[in-house]
Amino acid sequence: MASSLTTASAGTPGSEKTFLGHPRGLATLFFTEMWERFSYYGMRALLVLYLVSGGADAATGSQGGGLAMTAATATAIYSVYVSMVYLMAMPGGWFGDRVWGARKTVTIAGFVIMAGHASLAIPGQAMFFVGLALVAVGSGLLKANISTMVGHLYNGPEDPRRDGGFTLFYIGINLGAFIAPFAVGTLGEKVNWHLGFALAAVGMGLGLACFLAFTKGLSPTSSVVPNPLSAEEKKRILVKASLVVALAAVFYGVIVGLDVFTLNWALVPLTLAGLLIPIAVLVRIKRDKDLDKTEQSKMNGYIWFFVAAAIFWMIYDQGGSTLSLFADDKTGSIFGFDPSATWYQSLNPMFVMALAPVFAYLWLWLARKNQEPNTIVKFAMGLVLVGASFFVFIVPMSMAGDGTMVSPMWLVSIYMIQTIGELCLSPVGLSVTTKMAPKKYASQMMGVWFLAVTAGDCTTGLLSLAGVDLNGTGIIALQATLAVGAGLAVYMYRKKVQAMMGGVH
């Protein structure tokens, strides 16, 4: 990493040394996040395949050794897990703001994530769920704070290097996500599942080592607790937390004692919480009497974006479950080569890195011609595209209905369409969240945006737990129709939504 650092030219604001023209702390955060995403996406690529894997299959060379769950249960667990990662981003930000500060929170998060992957590397269902919980909690803690630390490196919003720094950071995210399925996925799927999870732990360990070794290059602001808890607040929170833990322990103790415990007793409450918490947060903000008329109107408009995003992520995140299972069971070889099912998880970050600069240039080119679509139209485009990807998915699903193995290029095209939809919706979603946030909730609203992912994934999980076969053609067509219909509705009511947004464009 040291070779990437160069001496800054005279007059450069920030550190004495730079990383590609940026404060040298960006290199630390770049590689920390790259390795954290390597661990996260590597484990995620294995997750559903490990859950459905049973005994070894001599015909296909499958190693077996998984938990032998049904596709529906595996999809539900995957969906709940992903939703919890994003749900934990809100308390993660709270810990950074009120308890530990961003730097200490990221350090603790790194150790928690590494412990989670190490737990997954130990065979057995109990250790699997312990590991999954640790990774979800750690990822939520880290996710909310490491991006904040990138912002701390610059001299406020007016620093001209700020946007470029976040772009480099975003490349680090996708670079780690791109490499992981080839390394962790191949080792786990082809050799041993638990060795794959162990490699994910090594990845997080490398990221944590990088963070601790070069932490001096980070901004001192990252060590500050912006709004520390008072002694009275600490006492009140500890009492409430202890009460919740005690009630949960008693409840599940009774369930286990009556010998009626099943996996659904854990999954259903988590899924319902993932649906109800986002609704409760939005209702609480909407009912706040401190908001003026303009802020209330903006919140009404924001709800449209929130629901649209939830529908988008409901389909998009099935790339690691429904599409992954299809890749494992129904796709054949291409040019005589049979790709690993986990490798398809590298397509999205690859397309993001390839297409993001193209879209950035396209929006600027259209803006110069005064033809750039506004935020509402971009959202509508994202929804229509993600729906279209599932309409395309129906074709190979129908072809594979009689046992025929289909070309991997079908999945390549589906992931590409979804990535184009993501580039229309996700960046502008982050932007519109900051622009429409009431002043009182400026920091919390970024967590609200992540709750849209939670709501979408929990909807998928609830459908699976209710016995809906998400791998069936009918439900795929229904989801596609829902997304396209929602996109058209957003477009048709764009003038009404724009009026609610006030001066935000």
Side-chain angles (χ1 to χ4, degrees), residues 275 303-318 379 382-384 386-387 389-390 418 425 449 451-460 478-490:
L275 283 173
I303 289 171
W304 281 75
F305 293 109
F306 185 91
V307 173
I311 294 171
F312 178 90
W313 296 117
M314 178 184 72
I315 294 177
Y316 182 89
D317 275 343
Q318 289 182 59
F379 253 73
L383 279 168
V384 170
V386 82
S389 75
F390 262 28
Q418 291 187 351
L425 182 140
W449 169 252
L451 288 181
V453 185
T454 298
D457 283 312
C458 280
T459 301
T460 304
L478 182 63
Q479 292 179 81
T481 303
L482 174 64
V484 171
L488 294 175
V490 169

mmCIF file of all heavy atoms in Angstrom, residues 275 303-318 379 382-384 386-387 389-390 418 425 449 451-460 478-490:
data_model
loop_
_atom_site.group_PDB
_atom_site.id
_atom_site.type_symbol
_atom_site.label_atom_id
_atom_site.label_comp_id
_atom_site.label_asym_id
_atom_site.label_seq_id
_atom_site.Cartn_x
_atom_site.Cartn_y
_atom_site.Cartn_z
ATOM 1 N N LEU A 275 -40.007 -5.507 8.399
ATOM 2 C CA LEU A 275 -41.072 -4.809 7.676
ATOM 3 C C LEU A 275 -41.670 -3.672 8.503
ATOM 4 O O LEU A 275 -41.962 -2.592 7.982
ATOM 5 C CB LEU A 275 -42.178 -5.796 7.289
ATOM 6 C CG LEU A 275 -41.902 -6.723 6.107
ATOM 7 C CD1 LEU A 275 -43.022 -7.750 5.978
ATOM 8 C CD2 LEU A 275 -41.780 -5.929 4.810
ATOM 9 N N ILE A 303 -41.766 9.216 0.514
ATOM 10 C CA ILE A 303 -42.394 7.900 0.685
ATOM 11 C C ILE A 303 -42.544 7.190 -0.661
ATOM 12 O O ILE A 303 -42.394 5.967 -0.751
ATOM 13 C CB ILE A 303 -43.750 8.047 1.412
ATOM 14 C CG1 ILE A 303 -43.500 8.421 2.884
ATOM 15 C CG2 ILE A 303 -44.565 6.754 1.330
ATOM 16 C CD1 ILE A 303 -44.742 8.805 3.652
ATOM 17 N N TRP A 304 -42.820 7.952 -1.723
ATOM 18 C CA TRP A 304 -42.881 7.349 -3.068
ATOM 19 C C TRP A 304 -41.541 6.698 -3.415
ATOM 20 O O TRP A 304 -41.505 5.561 -3.896
ATOM 21 C CB TRP A 304 -43.210 8.425 -4.111
ATOM 22 C CG TRP A 304 -44.652 8.807 -4.194
ATOM 23 C CD1 TRP A 304 -45.363 9.576 -3.324
ATOM 24 C CD2 TRP A 304 -45.574 8.416 -5.225
ATOM 25 N NE1 TRP A 304 -46.670 9.707 -3.745
ATOM 26 C CE2 TRP A 304 -46.824 9.005 -4.914
ATOM 27 C CE3 TRP A 304 -45.468 7.652 -6.381
ATOM 28 C CZ2 TRP A 304 -47.950 8.847 -5.705
ATOM 29 C CZ3 TRP A 304 -46.584 7.489 -7.184
ATOM 30 C CH2 TRP A 304 -47.813 8.072 -6.842
ATOM 31 N N PHE A 305 -40.458 7.429 -3.171
ATOM 32 C CA PHE A 305 -39.128 6.890 -3.482
ATOM 33 C C PHE A 305 -38.807 5.679 -2.608
ATOM 34 O O PHE A 305 -38.200 4.707 -3.066
ATOM 35 C CB PHE A 305 -38.068 7.977 -3.280
ATOM 36 C CG PHE A 305 -38.163 9.107 -4.256
ATOM 37 C CD1 PHE A 305 -38.593 10.360 -3.848
ATOM 38 C CD2 PHE A 305 -37.828 8.937 -5.593
ATOM 39 C CE1 PHE A 305 -38.689 11.413 -4.736
ATOM 40 C CE2 PHE A 305 -37.918 9.981 -6.501
ATOM 41 C CZ PHE A 305 -38.352 11.224 -6.070
ATOM 42 N N PHE A 306 -39.215 5.741 -1.349
ATOM 43 C CA PHE A 306 -38.928 4.642 -0.421
ATOM 44 C C PHE A 306 -39.622 3.357 -0.872
ATOM 45 O O PHE A 306 -38.997 2.285 -0.936
ATOM 46 C CB PHE A 306 -39.399 5.020 0.988
ATOM 47 C CG PHE A 306 -39.049 4.004 2.040
ATOM 48 C CD1 PHE A 306 -37.867 4.095 2.737
ATOM 49 C CD2 PHE A 306 -39.910 2.947 2.327
ATOM 50 C CE1 PHE A 306 -37.532 3.149 3.708
ATOM 51 C CE2 PHE A 306 -39.591 2.005 3.288
ATOM 52 C CZ PHE A 306 -38.400 2.102 3.981
ATOM 53 N N VAL A 307 -40.900 3.438 -1.186
ATOM 54 C CA VAL A 307 -41.651 2.251 -1.632
ATOM 55 C C VAL A 307 -41.077 1.725 -2.941
ATOM 56 O O VAL A 307 -40.915 0.509 -3.119
ATOM 57 C CB VAL A 307 -43.151 2.588 -1.788
ATOM 58 C CG1 VAL A 307 -43.903 1.416 -2.407
ATOM 59 C CG2 VAL A 307 -43.759 2.953 -0.437
ATOM 60 N N ALA A 308 -40.758 2.632 -3.865
ATOM 61 C CA ALA A 308 -40.171 2.223 -5.143
ATOM 62 C C ALA A 308 -38.852 1.490 -4.918
ATOM 63 O O ALA A 308 -38.586 0.445 -5.530
ATOM 64 C CB ALA A 308 -39.951 3.447 -6.029
ATOM 65 N N ALA A 309 -38.014 2.025 -4.014
ATOM 66 C CA ALA A 309 -36.726 1.393 -3.729
ATOM 67 C C ALA A 309 -36.916 0.015 -3.095
ATOM 68 O O ALA A 309 -36.181 -0.930 -3.409
ATOM 69 C CB ALA A 309 -35.894 2.284 -2.811
ATOM 70 N N ALA A 310 -37.893 -0.119 -2.197
ATOM 71 C CA ALA A 310 -38.154 -1.413 -1.557
ATOM 72 C C ALA A 310 -38.526 -2.464 -2.593
ATOM 73 O O ALA A 310 -38.060 -3.615 -2.544
ATOM 74 C CB ALA A 310 -39.265 -1.275 -0.519
ATOM 75 N N ILE A 311 -39.359 -2.095 -3.565
ATOM 76 C CA ILE A 311 -39.739 -3.028 -4.634
ATOM 77 C C ILE A 311 -38.519 -3.393 -5.473
ATOM 78 O O ILE A 311 -38.308 -4.556 -5.838
ATOM 79 C CB ILE A 311 -40.841 -2.414 -5.519
ATOM 80 C CG1 ILE A 311 -42.128 -2.244 -4.708
ATOM 81 C CG2 ILE A 311 -41.112 -3.281 -6.750
ATOM 82 C CD1 ILE A 311 -43.208 -1.453 -5.420
ATOM 83 N N PHE A 312 -37.687 -2.387 -5.762
ATOM 84 C CA PHE A 312 -36.479 -2.640 -6.552
ATOM 85 C C PHE A 312 -35.567 -3.645 -5.860
ATOM 86 O O PHE A 312 -35.138 -4.637 -6.453
ATOM 87 C CB PHE A 312 -35.727 -1.319 -6.786
ATOM 88 C CG PHE A 312 -34.442 -1.489 -7.550
ATOM 89 C CD1 PHE A 312 -34.437 -1.421 -8.932
ATOM 90 C CD2 PHE A 312 -33.240 -1.728 -6.898
ATOM 91 C CE1 PHE A 312 -33.254 -1.579 -9.648
ATOM 92 C CE2 PHE A 312 -32.053 -1.891 -7.594
ATOM 93 C CZ PHE A 312 -32.059 -1.815 -8.980
ATOM 94 N N TRP A 313 -35.273 -3.405 -4.568
ATOM 95 C CA TRP A 313 -34.332 -4.277 -3.856
ATOM 96 C C TRP A 313 -34.927 -5.660 -3.609
ATOM 97 O O TRP A 313 -34.187 -6.646 -3.504
ATOM 98 C CB TRP A 313 -33.898 -3.632 -2.540
ATOM 99 C CG TRP A 313 -33.130 -2.361 -2.732
ATOM 100 C CD1 TRP A 313 -33.501 -1.111 -2.322
ATOM 101 C CD2 TRP A 313 -31.873 -2.195 -3.397
ATOM 102 N NE1 TRP A 313 -32.558 -0.194 -2.700
ATOM 103 C CE2 TRP A 313 -31.551 -0.816 -3.352
ATOM 104 C CE3 TRP A 313 -30.996 -3.070 -4.026
ATOM 105 C CZ2 TRP A 313 -30.378 -0.304 -3.913
ATOM 106 C CZ3 TRP A 313 -29.831 -2.550 -4.586
ATOM 107 C CH2 TRP A 313 -29.531 -1.202 -4.531
ATOM 108 N N MET A 314 -36.244 -5.754 -3.526
ATOM 109 C CA MET A 314 -36.890 -7.057 -3.358
ATOM 110 C C MET A 314 -36.501 -7.999 -4.500
ATOM 111 O O MET A 314 -36.234 -9.187 -4.285
ATOM 112 C CB MET A 314 -38.413 -6.891 -3.327
ATOM 113 C CG MET A 314 -39.185 -8.200 -3.195
ATOM 114 S SD MET A 314 -40.972 -7.960 -3.277
ATOM 115 C CE MET A 314 -41.171 -7.581 -5.027
ATOM 116 N N ILE A 315 -36.461 -7.464 -5.710
ATOM 117 C CA ILE A 315 -36.077 -8.269 -6.875
ATOM 118 C C ILE A 315 -34.562 -8.345 -7.008
ATOM 119 O O ILE A 315 -33.986 -9.419 -7.201
ATOM 120 C CB ILE A 315 -36.702 -7.685 -8.161
ATOM 121 C CG1 ILE A 315 -38.220 -7.830 -8.113
ATOM 122 C CG2 ILE A 315 -36.127 -8.364 -9.402
ATOM 123 C CD1 ILE A 315 -38.942 -7.217 -9.300
ATOM 124 N N TYR A 316 -33.905 -7.211 -6.893
ATOM 125 C CA TYR A 316 -32.470 -7.128 -7.143
ATOM 126 C C TYR A 316 -31.668 -8.074 -6.252
ATOM 127 O O TYR A 316 -30.745 -8.753 -6.724
ATOM 128 C CB TYR A 316 -32.012 -5.686 -6.918
ATOM 129 C CG TYR A 316 -30.556 -5.433 -7.194
ATOM 130 C CD1 TYR A 316 -30.127 -5.070 -8.463
ATOM 131 C CD2 TYR A 316 -29.609 -5.543 -6.178
ATOM 132 C CE1 TYR A 316 -28.786 -4.834 -8.717
ATOM 133 C CE2 TYR A 316 -28.273 -5.318 -6.416
ATOM 134 C CZ TYR A 316 -27.860 -4.947 -7.686
ATOM 135 O OH TYR A 316 -26.530 -4.725 -7.929
ATOM 136 N N ASP A 317 -32.001 -8.119 -4.967
ATOM 137 C CA ASP A 317 -31.215 -8.937 -4.037
ATOM 138 C C ASP A 317 -31.449 -10.430 -4.199
ATOM 139 O O ASP A 317 -30.755 -11.237 -3.559
ATOM 140 C CB ASP A 317 -31.494 -8.506 -2.586
ATOM 141 C CG ASP A 317 -30.614 -7.333 -2.167
ATOM 142 O OD1 ASP A 317 -29.606 -7.076 -2.847
ATOM 143 O OD2 ASP A 317 -30.936 -6.673 -1.160
ATOM 144 N N GLN A 318 -32.401 -10.822 -5.035
ATOM 145 C CA GLN A 318 -32.562 -12.245 -5.326
ATOM 146 C C GLN A 318 -31.460 -12.759 -6.256
ATOM 147 O O GLN A 318 -31.398 -13.948 -6.559
ATOM 148 C CB GLN A 318 -33.941 -12.516 -5.928
ATOM 149 C CG GLN A 318 -35.068 -12.373 -4.909
ATOM 150 C CD GLN A 318 -36.427 -12.691 -5.509
ATOM 151 O OE1 GLN A 318 -36.660 -13.789 -6.011
ATOM 152 N NE2 GLN A 318 -37.334 -11.724 -5.456
ATOM 153 N N PHE A 379 -35.769 6.980 -11.262
ATOM 154 C CA PHE A 379 -36.342 5.944 -10.397
ATOM 155 C C PHE A 379 -37.270 5.042 -11.198
ATOM 156 O O PHE A 379 -37.238 3.808 -11.070
ATOM 157 C CB PHE A 379 -37.105 6.582 -9.237
ATOM 158 C CG PHE A 379 -36.397 6.476 -7.923
ATOM 159 C CD1 PHE A 379 -35.283 7.258 -7.664
ATOM 160 C CD2 PHE A 379 -36.823 5.593 -6.958
ATOM 161 C CE1 PHE A 379 -34.620 7.172 -6.461
ATOM 162 C CE2 PHE A 379 -36.169 5.488 -5.743
ATOM 163 C CZ PHE A 379 -35.054 6.282 -5.485
ATOM 164 N N GLY A 382 -35.273 2.704 -13.296
ATOM 165 C CA GLY A 382 -34.687 1.611 -12.513
ATOM 166 C C GLY A 382 -35.693 0.516 -12.223
ATOM 167 O O GLY A 382 -35.382 -0.676 -12.331
ATOM 168 N N LEU A 383 -36.918 0.890 -11.855
ATOM 169 C CA LEU A 383 -37.967 -0.093 -11.564
ATOM 170 C C LEU A 383 -38.360 -0.878 -12.807
ATOM 171 O O LEU A 383 -38.513 -2.106 -12.760
ATOM 172 C CB LEU A 383 -39.196 0.613 -10.991
ATOM 173 C CG LEU A 383 -39.138 0.966 -9.502
ATOM 174 C CD1 LEU A 383 -40.273 1.906 -9.136
ATOM 175 C CD2 LEU A 383 -39.197 -0.284 -8.642
ATOM 176 N N VAL A 384 -38.532 -0.185 -13.923
ATOM 177 C CA VAL A 384 -38.912 -0.867 -15.165
ATOM 178 C C VAL A 384 -37.816 -1.846 -15.585
ATOM 179 O O VAL A 384 -38.100 -2.979 -16.013
ATOM 180 C CB VAL A 384 -39.196 0.157 -16.279
ATOM 181 C CG1 VAL A 384 -39.338 -0.546 -17.634
ATOM 182 C CG2 VAL A 384 -40.472 0.940 -15.972
ATOM 183 N N VAL A 386 -35.487 -3.384 -13.628
ATOM 184 C CA VAL A 386 -35.384 -4.562 -12.763
ATOM 185 C C VAL A 386 -36.561 -5.504 -13.008
ATOM 186 O O VAL A 386 -36.425 -6.737 -12.948
ATOM 187 C CB VAL A 386 -35.268 -4.157 -11.274
ATOM 188 C CG1 VAL A 386 -36.615 -3.840 -10.640
ATOM 189 C CG2 VAL A 386 -34.554 -5.231 -10.465
ATOM 190 N N GLY A 387 -37.745 -4.934 -13.316
ATOM 191 C CA GLY A 387 -38.885 -5.781 -13.693
ATOM 192 C C GLY A 387 -38.632 -6.491 -15.010
ATOM 193 O O GLY A 387 -38.919 -7.684 -15.159
ATOM 194 N N SER A 389 -35.831 -7.405 -16.183
ATOM 195 C CA SER A 389 -34.853 -8.487 -15.995
ATOM 196 C C SER A 389 -35.545 -9.785 -15.598
ATOM 197 O O SER A 389 -35.122 -10.875 -16.002
ATOM 198 C CB SER A 389 -33.816 -8.093 -14.936
ATOM 199 O OG SER A 389 -34.356 -8.155 -13.614
ATOM 200 N N PHE A 390 -36.605 -9.675 -14.795
ATOM 201 C CA PHE A 390 -37.333 -10.889 -14.397
ATOM 202 C C PHE A 390 -38.250 -11.389 -15.513
ATOM 203 O O PHE A 390 -38.524 -12.589 -15.597
ATOM 204 C CB PHE A 390 -38.111 -10.634 -13.102
ATOM 205 C CG PHE A 390 -37.383 -11.134 -11.876
ATOM 206 C CD1 PHE A 390 -35.995 -11.198 -11.852
ATOM 207 C CD2 PHE A 390 -38.071 -11.545 -10.744
ATOM 208 C CE1 PHE A 390 -35.317 -11.670 -10.733
ATOM 209 C CE2 PHE A 390 -37.401 -12.023 -9.615
ATOM 210 C CZ PHE A 390 -36.024 -12.079 -9.610
ATOM 211 N N GLN A 418 -30.124 -5.685 -14.578
ATOM 212 C CA GLN A 418 -30.325 -5.249 -13.196
ATOM 213 C C GLN A 418 -29.304 -4.196 -12.779
ATOM 214 O O GLN A 418 -29.634 -3.245 -12.051
ATOM 215 C CB GLN A 418 -30.265 -6.455 -12.254
ATOM 216 C CG GLN A 418 -31.445 -7.397 -12.401
ATOM 217 C CD GLN A 418 -31.464 -8.487 -11.344
ATOM 218 O OE1 GLN A 418 -30.510 -8.650 -10.584
ATOM 219 N NE2 GLN A 418 -32.543 -9.240 -11.281
ATOM 220 N N LEU A 425 -31.098 4.009 -10.274
ATOM 221 C CA LEU A 425 -31.850 4.230 -9.040
ATOM 222 C C LEU A 425 -30.987 4.480 -7.806
ATOM 223 O O LEU A 425 -31.233 5.419 -7.049
ATOM 224 C CB LEU A 425 -32.771 3.040 -8.803
ATOM 225 C CG LEU A 425 -33.682 3.083 -7.578
ATOM 226 C CD1 LEU A 425 -35.064 2.517 -7.911
ATOM 227 C CD2 LEU A 425 -33.085 2.282 -6.412
ATOM 228 N N TRP A 449 -32.890 5.371 4.293
ATOM 229 C CA TRP A 449 -32.711 4.870 2.920
ATOM 230 C C TRP A 449 -32.321 3.394 2.927
ATOM 231 O O TRP A 449 -32.829 2.592 2.158
ATOM 232 C CB TRP A 449 -31.659 5.704 2.191
ATOM 233 C CG TRP A 449 -31.223 5.116 0.877
ATOM 234 C CD1 TRP A 449 -30.027 4.524 0.592
ATOM 235 C CD2 TRP A 449 -31.993 5.041 -0.330
ATOM 236 N NE1 TRP A 449 -29.999 4.090 -0.706
ATOM 237 C CE2 TRP A 449 -31.195 4.395 -1.299
ATOM 238 C CE3 TRP A 449 -33.277 5.445 -0.678
ATOM 239 C CZ2 TRP A 449 -31.634 4.155 -2.597
ATOM 240 C CZ3 TRP A 449 -33.723 5.206 -1.974
ATOM 241 C CH2 TRP A 449 -32.909 4.569 -2.918
ATOM 242 N N LEU A 451 -33.132 1.299 5.109
ATOM 243 C CA LEU A 451 -34.288 0.520 5.547
ATOM 244 C C LEU A 451 -35.167 0.090 4.372
ATOM 245 O O LEU A 451 -35.942 -0.857 4.492
ATOM 246 C CB LEU A 451 -35.121 1.323 6.547
ATOM 247 C CG LEU A 451 -34.519 1.512 7.943
ATOM 248 C CD1 LEU A 451 -35.468 2.301 8.825
ATOM 249 C CD2 LEU A 451 -34.191 0.168 8.592
ATOM 250 N N ALA A 452 -35.056 0.789 3.238
ATOM 251 C CA ALA A 452 -35.791 0.358 2.041
ATOM 252 C C ALA A 452 -35.299 -1.019 1.589
ATOM 253 O O ALA A 452 -36.083 -1.861 1.141
ATOM 254 C CB ALA A 452 -35.627 1.379 0.920
ATOM 255 N N VAL A 453 -33.983 -1.245 1.723
ATOM 256 C CA VAL A 453 -33.422 -2.568 1.396
ATOM 257 C C VAL A 453 -33.969 -3.603 2.370
ATOM 258 O O VAL A 453 -34.354 -4.712 1.981
ATOM 259 C CB VAL A 453 -31.881 -2.534 1.456
ATOM 260 C CG1 VAL A 453 -31.308 -3.873 0.986
ATOM 261 C CG2 VAL A 453 -31.331 -1.395 0.616
ATOM 262 N N THR A 454 -34.000 -3.236 3.655
ATOM 263 C CA THR A 454 -34.537 -4.138 4.677
ATOM 264 C C THR A 454 -35.978 -4.526 4.358
ATOM 265 O O THR A 454 -36.346 -5.704 4.417
ATOM 266 C CB THR A 454 -34.475 -3.464 6.063
ATOM 267 O OG1 THR A 454 -33.113 -3.201 6.393
ATOM 268 C CG2 THR A 454 -35.079 -4.351 7.131
ATOM 269 N N ALA A 455 -36.811 -3.536 4.030
ATOM 270 C CA ALA A 455 -38.220 -3.806 3.732
ATOM 271 C C ALA A 455 -38.363 -4.715 2.515
ATOM 272 O O ALA A 455 -39.179 -5.644 2.514
ATOM 273 C CB ALA A 455 -38.956 -2.480 3.502
ATOM 274 N N GLY A 456 -37.587 -4.456 1.475
ATOM 275 C CA GLY A 456 -37.667 -5.280 0.263
ATOM 276 C C GLY A 456 -37.251 -6.710 0.515
ATOM 277 O O GLY A 456 -37.934 -7.656 0.096
ATOM 278 N N ASP A 457 -36.132 -6.903 1.220
ATOM 279 C CA ASP A 457 -35.647 -8.260 1.477
ATOM 280 C C ASP A 457 -36.549 -9.009 2.446
ATOM 281 O O ASP A 457 -36.723 -10.231 2.331
ATOM 282 C CB ASP A 457 -34.210 -8.218 2.007
ATOM 283 C CG ASP A 457 -33.200 -7.962 0.900
ATOM 284 O OD1 ASP A 457 -33.273 -8.631 -0.131
ATOM 285 O OD2 ASP A 457 -32.341 -7.084 1.063
ATOM 286 N N CYS A 458 -37.117 -8.295 3.412
ATOM 287 C CA CYS A 458 -38.026 -8.960 4.351
ATOM 288 C C CYS A 458 -39.318 -9.383 3.660
ATOM 289 O O CYS A 458 -39.934 -10.387 4.045
ATOM 290 C CB CYS A 458 -38.329 -8.053 5.533
ATOM 291 S SG CYS A 458 -37.005 -8.057 6.767
ATOM 292 N N THR A 459 -39.740 -8.652 2.653
ATOM 293 C CA THR A 459 -40.904 -9.080 1.863
ATOM 294 C C THR A 459 -40.610 -10.405 1.178
ATOM 295 O O THR A 459 -41.440 -11.335 1.193
ATOM 296 C CB THR A 459 -41.260 -8.011 0.813
ATOM 297 O OG1 THR A 459 -41.535 -6.776 1.469
ATOM 298 C CG2 THR A 459 -42.479 -8.435 0.007
ATOM 299 N N THR A 460 -39.423 -10.520 0.597
ATOM 300 C CA THR A 460 -39.002 -11.776 -0.030
ATOM 301 C C THR A 460 -38.964 -12.905 0.997
ATOM 302 O O THR A 460 -39.439 -14.017 0.749
ATOM 303 C CB THR A 460 -37.609 -11.621 -0.661
ATOM 304 O OG1 THR A 460 -37.622 -10.531 -1.577
ATOM 305 C CG2 THR A 460 -37.210 -12.888 -1.407
ATOM 306 N N LEU A 478 -45.066 -12.370 -11.540
ATOM 307 C CA LEU A 478 -45.811 -11.443 -10.683
ATOM 308 C C LEU A 478 -44.907 -10.317 -10.181
ATOM 309 O O LEU A 478 -45.294 -9.134 -10.181
ATOM 310 C CB LEU A 478 -46.425 -12.206 -9.511
ATOM 311 C CG LEU A 478 -47.288 -11.384 -8.542
ATOM 312 C CD1 LEU A 478 -48.503 -10.808 -9.273
ATOM 313 C CD2 LEU A 478 -47.742 -12.260 -7.368
ATOM 314 N N GLN A 479 -43.703 -10.673 -9.732
ATOM 315 C CA GLN A 479 -42.760 -9.657 -9.259
ATOM 316 C C GLN A 479 -42.343 -8.712 -10.384
ATOM 317 O O GLN A 479 -42.222 -7.496 -10.184
ATOM 318 C CB GLN A 479 -41.519 -10.330 -8.662
ATOM 319 C CG GLN A 479 -41.769 -11.082 -7.371
ATOM 320 C CD GLN A 479 -40.512 -11.742 -6.852
ATOM 321 O OE1 GLN A 479 -39.670 -11.109 -6.215
ATOM 322 N NE2 GLN A 479 -40.347 -13.024 -7.131
ATOM 323 N N ALA A 480 -42.124 -9.279 -11.572
ATOM 324 C CA ALA A 480 -41.753 -8.457 -12.723
ATOM 325 C C ALA A 480 -42.856 -7.461 -13.046
ATOM 326 O O ALA A 480 -42.598 -6.270 -13.294
ATOM 327 C CB ALA A 480 -41.467 -9.353 -13.933
ATOM 328 N N THR A 481 -44.103 -7.940 -13.010
ATOM 329 C CA THR A 481 -45.251 -7.074 -13.298
ATOM 330 C C THR A 481 -45.379 -5.972 -12.244
ATOM 331 O O THR A 481 -45.659 -4.810 -12.566
ATOM 332 C CB THR A 481 -46.545 -7.903 -13.345
ATOM 333 O OG1 THR A 481 -46.406 -8.942 -14.328
ATOM 334 C CG2 THR A 481 -47.745 -7.041 -13.691
ATOM 335 N N LEU A 482 -45.158 -6.343 -10.977
ATOM 336 C CA LEU A 482 -45.226 -5.367 -9.888
ATOM 337 C C LEU A 482 -44.202 -4.252 -10.084
ATOM 338 O O LEU A 482 -44.521 -3.064 -9.935
ATOM 339 C CB LEU A 482 -44.989 -6.071 -8.550
ATOM 340 C CG LEU A 482 -44.888 -5.165 -7.315
ATOM 341 C CD1 LEU A 482 -46.212 -4.445 -7.060
ATOM 342 C CD2 LEU A 482 -44.483 -5.989 -6.084
ATOM 343 N N ALA A 483 -42.955 -4.626 -10.416
ATOM 344 C CA ALA A 483 -41.892 -3.637 -10.569
ATOM 345 C C ALA A 483 -42.161 -2.714 -11.761
ATOM 346 O O ALA A 483 -42.029 -1.486 -11.653
ATOM 347 C CB ALA A 483 -40.543 -4.331 -10.728
ATOM 348 N N VAL A 484 -42.536 -3.301 -12.892
ATOM 349 C CA VAL A 484 -42.809 -2.490 -14.083
ATOM 350 C C VAL A 484 -44.021 -1.586 -13.822
ATOM 351 O O VAL A 484 -44.020 -0.401 -14.182
ATOM 352 C CB VAL A 484 -43.043 -3.377 -15.316
ATOM 353 C CG1 VAL A 484 -43.535 -2.549 -16.499
ATOM 354 C CG2 VAL A 484 -41.756 -4.111 -15.700
ATOM 355 N N GLY A 485 -45.057 -2.145 -13.183
ATOM 356 C CA GLY A 485 -46.247 -1.352 -12.858
ATOM 357 C C GLY A 485 -45.914 -0.196 -11.932
ATOM 358 O O GLY A 485 -46.403 0.934 -12.112
ATOM 359 N N ALA A 486 -45.068 -0.468 -10.924
ATOM 360 C CA ALA A 486 -44.663 0.595 -9.997
ATOM 361 C C ALA A 486 -43.860 1.666 -10.726
ATOM 362 O O ALA A 486 -44.029 2.871 -10.468
ATOM 363 C CB ALA A 486 -43.839 0.003 -8.851
ATOM 364 N N GLY A 487 -42.982 1.233 -11.634
ATOM 365 C CA GLY A 487 -42.199 2.192 -12.410
ATOM 366 C C GLY A 487 -43.075 3.088 -13.263
ATOM 367 O O GLY A 487 -42.878 4.311 -13.322
ATOM 368 N N LEU A 488 -44.070 2.504 -13.907
ATOM 369 C CA LEU A 488 -45.000 3.282 -14.732
ATOM 370 C C LEU A 488 -45.833 4.235 -13.867
ATOM 371 O O LEU A 488 -46.114 5.372 -14.268
ATOM 372 C CB LEU A 488 -45.908 2.350 -15.531
ATOM 373 C CG LEU A 488 -45.209 1.499 -16.607
ATOM 374 C CD1 LEU A 488 -46.199 0.528 -17.246
ATOM 375 C CD2 LEU A 488 -44.573 2.394 -17.671
ATOM 376 N N ALA A 489 -46.228 3.763 -12.658
ATOM 377 C CA ALA A 489 -47.008 4.615 -11.759
ATOM 378 C C ALA A 489 -46.198 5.824 -11.306
ATOM 379 O O ALA A 489 -46.704 6.954 -11.280
ATOM 380 C CB ALA A 489 -47.475 3.805 -10.550
ATOM 381 N N VAL A 490 -44.925 5.590 -10.967
ATOM 382 C CA VAL A 490 -44.050 6.693 -10.563
ATOM 383 C C VAL A 490 -43.925 7.697 -11.711
ATOM 384 O O VAL A 490 -43.970 8.916 -11.499
ATOM 385 C CB VAL A 490 -42.658 6.162 -10.150
ATOM 386 C CG1 VAL A 490 -41.657 7.305 -9.997
ATOM 387 C CG2 VAL A 490 -42.752 5.376 -8.839
#
